[in-house]
Amino acid sequence: MRSYQDALAYSAKWLEIIHQDSESIDESTAKWISQETKHNFVNHFNAGWVNYRKSMTEAGDYGAVEWRGKGARFFDPFGNEYLDFLGGYGALDLGWSHPEVVEAVRAQALKSGIPSQELMDPLRGVLAKLMTDITPGDIDHAFFVASGTEAVEGALKIARLHTGKHSFISTVKAFHGKTSGSLSVMGKKAFRAPLQPYGAQIFFVPFGDADALERQLEICETVGIDIAGFVAEPIQGEAGAIVPPDGYWPRVREICDKFGILMICDEVQTGLGRTGALWGVDHWNVKPDIMMAAKSLGGGVMPVGCFMGSGEIWKAFEEPNPFMHTTTTGGNPMACAAAIATIQVVLRDKLPQRAAELGDYFIGQLNQLTEEFPGIYEKITGKGLLIGQHFIDNEVGYKVAAGLFRRKVLVAGTLVNAKAIRFEPPLVITQAEIDEVLNRLRDTLKSVSAGL
């Protein structure tokens, strides 16, 4: 019989570090943490991540390891301070370890963590009502999961059950997650192609082109292909913060109504204030049939996502089998406590308005840089604090991202557009911190420009 002594000793060592005051780690421990983290990623997680990430290739002798953070700043074990202008790809809208969210989770964890599933857990119902209170249109039901791609899976599933149809239309360069159902509506070959076929017909149209959507629906109707819904992000995030023309979403709503299909809006990255409105669709005053949210809903502390719809749509989950869709850990009390605290902070502190104001300022300053460095930039895109810097090619984009990292600013590229580097800082960022990053960006651009 195995004794597991190595596992016991190793877990005990890490628990001791976890419980240690995060600011009191000595240099030898910091070096060990860095080396051990790299070793574990290479040998036990995914070696490709280490080779790909700037935190390893540009960090120097020891790969950068995130350790603690507050607001829009985080620190590695050595105490080096970074400005976070990536924001966990939208999960850290409230910044690092927001105290109110942390306290809500801590307090709930002392009561209950994972529910029994046989009794009703109050916070799941509370959060469902809150989502009803803050979402547009007739949405009055929500189901909670642990991630954005699970939210997309649930949305596709209930759309099929409600309509009795199985096919969807998505958009080119869309990003909706990486589980199989979500991948079926992914608009990027590199992620989608290796896992085909997906078991349903999925059609793709250019994002922002309502005429193309209408033509595709006309073709499907002519040849007898039933479409359950149109799936899209209000603003494409992973494509590089691409904002559609102003009349696009109102026209999409009209087209969906005309053909009797569901309008399904993926707000996983755009929701809860990121784009300068509480929801991305609010910029165009349209009302989706189904919406998805995740990332920032957990306040950067707990993983939580949801898909939402009207009571009429929700009948597909209630009759004849109310257990058609379930999850053991999704929407657990700790996750719901985090989401409740997050909604409170977002609304009370007017973070959507803050994102709109700071985003206008930031984008304005970045547009000035495109004029100052025309041989580097193509354009700046985005709304609020979801911003894309589009460079002349991949190499230049990488040099800018790597140069910023060396200057202790965290940014990243997008998964479906390698030329685009995003700025997606926490919504609690200050203008002074934006100015600080702009100064470091200008210094980086001067260095990159000199090497071209």
Side-chain angles (χ1 to χ4, degrees), residues 120-427:
M120 292 183 290
D121 46 309
L123 296 193
R124 196 176 334 202
V126 169
L127 183 57
K129 181 187 184 305
L130 277 174
M131 299 308 296
T132 295
D133 290 342
I134 65 174
T135 45
D138 297 328
I139 291 173
D140 56 10
H141 283 67
F143 187 95
F144 301 104
V145 293
S147 66
T149 191
E150 289 176 79
V152 173
E153 293 279 357
L156 298 177
K157 183 174 180 179
I158 199 168
R160 285 171 170 155
L161 289 170
H162 171 69
T163 63
K165 305 170 184 178
H166 291 85
S167 298
F168 292 91
I169 298 176
S170 182
T171 60
V172 178
K173 296 185 179 180
F175 185 87
H176 297 293
K178 294 181 182 176
T179 51
S180 292
S182 301
L183 275 173
S184 72
V185 291
M186 161 81 81
K188 178 67 174 176
K189 178 181 178 180
F191 299 108
R192 188 178 187 277
L195 294 165
Q196 296 183 106
Y198 291 98
Q201 290 179 294
I202 308 296
F203 303 89
F204 293 87
V205 296
F207 180 70
D209 188 341
D211 289 340
L213 173 63
E214 187 167 30
R215 286 195 300 271
Q216 183 61 68
L217 282 164
E218 287 171 350
I219 291 169
C220 288
E221 189 174 74
T222 299
V223 300
I225 298 173
D226 292 328
I227 302 296
F230 173 62
V231 185
E233 305 153 86
I235 297 170
Q236 282 194 325
E238 298 300 329
I242 304 301
V243 182
D246 279 343
Y248 175 67
W249 275 109
R251 179 92 189 285
V252 167
R253 179 69 274 179
E254 293 174 0
I255 292 169
C256 289
D257 290 341
K258 174 183 175 181
F259 287 88
I261 70 170
L262 298 174
M263 189 172 93
I264 305 170
C265 291
D266 182 347
E267 294 264 11
V268 167
Q269 189 162 189
T270 54
L272 290 171
R274 168 55 57 185
T275 67
L278 188 59
W279 302 103
V281 293
D282 289 343
H283 290 292
W284 298 280
N285 195 31
V286 292
K287 299 173 182 179
D289 298 301
I290 296 174
M291 283 176 61
M292 299 84 94
K295 288 188 183 290
S296 63
L297 186 58
V301 177
M302 290 294 295
V304 57
C306 69
F307 57 99
M308 302 162 278
S310 69
E312 181 62 30
I313 291 171
W314 233 249
K315 287 179 182 178
F317 271 1
E318 297 172 343
E319 303 168 0
N321 181 2
F323 302 108
M324 179 62 73
H325 197 73
T326 59
T327 171
T328 302
T329 58
N332 67 72
M334 294 181 295
C336 289
I340 291 166
T342 297
I343 292 169
Q344 166 74 196
V345 172
V346 168
L347 298 178
R348 184 198 66 208
D349 296 351
K350 297 180 172 58
L351 294 187
Q353 296 93 315
R354 181 182 182 83
E357 294 166 4
L358 290 175
D360 286 346
Y361 173 76
F362 200 1
I363 291 173
Q365 295 296 308
L366 291 170
N367 279 320
Q368 290 182 27
L369 287 177
T370 66
E371 298 175 4
E372 189 176 340
F373 298 94
I376 290 180
Y377 281 107
E378 281 188 353
K379 60 184 176 180
I380 303 296
T381 58
K383 262 187 182 298
L385 289 172
L386 179 61
I387 301 170
Q389 300 179 91
H390 297 257
F391 298 97
I392 58 172
D393 57 37
N394 295 344
E395 184 179 356
V396 169
Y398 178 84
K399 286 180 178 178
V400 172
L404 282 171
F405 187 78
R406 286 193 293 272
R407 291 164 177 82
K408 301 296 188 291
V409 178
L410 182 64
V411 295
T414 57
L415 286 179
V416 294
N417 190 339
K419 288 170 38 176
I421 301 297
R422 79 186 77 206
F423 276 134
E424 198 168 350
L427 307 187

Side-chain angles (χ1 to χ4, degrees), residues 10 15 34 88 104 168 314 329 383 431 446:
Y10 193 62
L15 285 169
S34 176
F168 292 91
W314 233 249
T329 58
K383 262 187 182 298
Q431 185 171 320
K446 287 179 181 178

Side-chain angles (χ1 to χ4, degrees), residues 11-32:
S11 59
K13 182 178 180 66
W14 274 103
L15 285 169
E16 181 181 348
I17 292 172
I18 289 168
H19 287 291
Q20 190 175 341
D21 180 357
S22 61
E23 297 185 33
S24 65
I25 294 175
D26 58 43
E27 185 172 358
S28 63
T29 302
K31 289 179 179 178
W32 183 83

Side-chain angles (χ1 to χ4, degrees), residues 22-23 25-27 30 65 67-68 74-82 408:
S22 61
E23 297 185 33
I25 294 175
D26 58 43
E27 185 172 358
V65 175
W67 194 245
R68 60 184 175 88
F74 69 95
F75 302 83
D76 65 21
F78 297 95
N80 295 310
E81 181 182 83
Y82 296 79
K408 301 296 188 291

